[in-house]
């Protein structure tokens, strides 16, 4: 088991290191600004390390505290972004939905880690309450995804082999990303395109079209990290713009080229790989995977990953679900070891 964990940890170091290195390369060549990408990578790594430690020491209390902290941040902070005085047209909906999704996933993970039936029920009610909170805040996406995470968590208790569940989560993420890419490229039927435009807003679709155009103009390196806002016609013509295309894969394609997209996919695959090989029970692993898949879906059509709190939360949940709880030493064994041995 130790060798399996070492492999997944080493893979994570390689993938995150490659993401940081490629952002620096593209920024150097294209005169970009890699600080945002580097901050996101650092946030994920810090959250993952904290999750591994907290999950090992407090397998129930740590995810429960993380869930409550996520809800508290969402409710108390009116703006999750670095510029609270600037509200872009697309708002903070993606970050709100993402943070509540991660909180619901943490609450469900804590429920599966608990042994007392009353405590397990309480934590599941907490997850349901988080979904209701999303609805109360006006986040329809958050309510739907949080509810889906809760249902997936309940279904995970009946799965004995996590590999099938992990494969399903990977397929779901690929489908959502593929549909996003097809919409950006106007490769969907007119009826479906009109329906999606009503849900996604025409402004967001214009940003996606600009991102795809920029990616096609320089597929190898992209335009450079942080430069989408300067080169996008839609972003520059908008009075209040955050300079983002509001889609993580399209932003990677526009700013860091094909390699950036591959590295983003590799980072998500590494998380699923780490969950697959984690020593935690299958329900805990699949619950965390469902929440992180929900985050990936939100990030595919929104700006969630541009918020540091979301990046930290994603790493924290992944770390909690892959940590190995420290076994409790029986009191009798402790007394026996502490007792001085008589000489023969």
């Amino acid at each position: 088991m130790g060798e399996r964990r070492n492999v997944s940890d080493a893979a994570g170091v390689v993938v995150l290191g490659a993401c940081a290195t490629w952002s620096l390369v593209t920024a150097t060549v294209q005169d970009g600004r890699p600080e945002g990408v580097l901050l996101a990578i650092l946030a994920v790594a810090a959250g993952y390390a904290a999750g591994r430690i907290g999950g090992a020491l407090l397998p129930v209390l740590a995810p429960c505290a993380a869930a409550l902290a996520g809800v508290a941040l969402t409710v108390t902070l009116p703006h999750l972004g670095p510029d609270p005085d600037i509200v872009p047209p697309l708002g903070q909906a993606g970050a709100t939905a993402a943070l509540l999704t991660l909180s619901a996933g943490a609450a469900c993970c804590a429920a599966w880690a608990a042994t007392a039936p009353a405590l397990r029920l309480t934590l599941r009610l907490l997850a349901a309450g988080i979904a209701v909170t999303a609805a109360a805040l006006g986040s329809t996406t958050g309510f739907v995804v949080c509810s889906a995470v809760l249902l997936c968590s309940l279904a995970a208790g009946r799965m004995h082999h996590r590999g099938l569940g992990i494969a399903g989560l990977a397929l779901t993420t690929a489908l959502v990303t593929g549909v996003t890419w097809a919409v950006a490229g106007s490769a969907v039927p007119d009826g479906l395109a009109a329906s999606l435009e009503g849900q996604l807003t025409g402004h967001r679709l214009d940003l996606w079209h600009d991102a795809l155009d920029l990616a096609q103009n320089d597929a190898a390196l992209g335009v450079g990290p942080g430069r989408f806002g300067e080169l996008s016609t839609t972003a520059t013509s908008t009075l209040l713009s955050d300079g983002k295309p509001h889609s993580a894969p399209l932003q990677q394609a526009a700013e860091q080229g094909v390699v950036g997209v591959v590295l983003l996919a590799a980072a998500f695959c590494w998380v699923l790989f780490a969950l697959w090989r984690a020593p935690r029970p299958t329900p805990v692993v699949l619950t965390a995977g469902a929440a992180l898949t929900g985050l990936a879906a939100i990030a595919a059509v929104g700006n969630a990953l541009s918020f540091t709190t979301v990046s930290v939360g994603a790493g924290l949940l992944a770390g909690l679900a892959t940590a190995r709880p420290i076994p409790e030493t029986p009191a009798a064994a402790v007394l026996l070891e502490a007792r001085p041995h008589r000489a023969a």
Side-chain angles (χ1 to χ4, degrees):
M1 184 65 71
E3 294 180 358
R4 295 174 62 184
R5 289 173 60 82
N6 291 337
V7 169
S8 61
D9 290 344
V13 172
V14 171
V15 170
L16 294 181
C19 291
T21 301
W22 183 248
S23 68
L24 292 173
V25 170
T26 54
T28 301
V29 175
Q30 302 287 42
D31 194 24
R33 297 180 297 277
E35 295 82 6
V37 178
L38 297 177
L39 178 61
I41 295 172
L42 180 61
V44 171
Y48 185 75
R52 288 284 290 268
I53 296 172
L57 297 176
L58 303 168
V60 178
L61 183 59
C64 179
L68 294 174
V71 175
L73 286 174
T74 306
V75 173
T76 58
L77 294 182
H79 299 285
L80 296 174
D83 300 315
D85 296 330
I86 299 178
V87 182
L90 298 180
Q92 315 289 330
T96 298
L99 203 54
L100 291 176
T101 297
L102 294 172
S103 299
C108 291
C109 286
W112 279 117
T115 55
L119 179 57
R120 180 170 291 184
L121 177 60
T122 301
L123 291 170
R124 285 176 178 159
L125 290 176
L126 172 61
I130 293 173
V132 174
T133 301
L137 294 175
S139 177
T140 304
T141 301
F143 172 74
V144 171
V145 180
C146 287
S147 301
V149 169
L150 178 57
L151 293 176
C152 289
S153 178
L154 295 174
R158 298 181 177 274
M159 296 193 67
H160 302 289
H161 303 286
R162 66 181 65 177
L164 183 61
I166 294 293
L169 297 175
L171 179 60
T172 300
T173 305
L175 288 175
V176 173
T177 304
V179 170
T180 302
W181 210 281
V183 172
S186 301
V188 295
D190 294 337
L192 179 58
S195 176
L196 291 175
E197 184 174 358
Q199 298 293 327
L200 298 171
T201 72
H203 178 70
R204 190 193 307 267
L205 295 182
D206 290 339
L207 290 173
W208 288 5
H209 296 324
D210 290 351
L212 196 57
D213 290 339
L214 292 175
Q216 292 173 347
N217 291 335
D218 194 341
L221 295 173
V223 299
R227 297 196 63 207
F228 175 83
E230 303 172 6
L231 302 177
S232 168
T233 304
T234 303
T236 54
S237 61
T238 303
L239 181 60
L240 295 177
S241 174
D242 56 7
K244 309 290 184 182
H246 289 259
S247 174
L250 289 174
Q251 181 173 351
Q252 285 292 98
E255 296 185 346
Q256 299 187 47
V258 175
V259 177
V261 176
V262 172
L263 289 174
L264 180 63
F268 183 72
C269 289
W270 160 66
V271 172
L272 294 182
F273 177 72
L275 291 173
W276 177 52
R277 304 187 73 137
R280 301 299 301 276
T282 294
V284 173
V285 168
L286 293 182
T287 296
L292 293 170
T293 299
L295 170 62
I298 295 171
V301 298
N303 198 30
L305 295 185
S306 296
F307 297 86
T308 305
T309 48
V310 175
S311 300
V312 172
L316 181 64
L317 181 58
L320 289 170
T322 56
R324 174 188 293 178
I326 299 176
E328 297 181 359
T329 304
V334 174
L335 293 177
L336 183 61
E337 293 178 0
R339 183 181 301 172
H341 297 280
R342 295 180 179 180

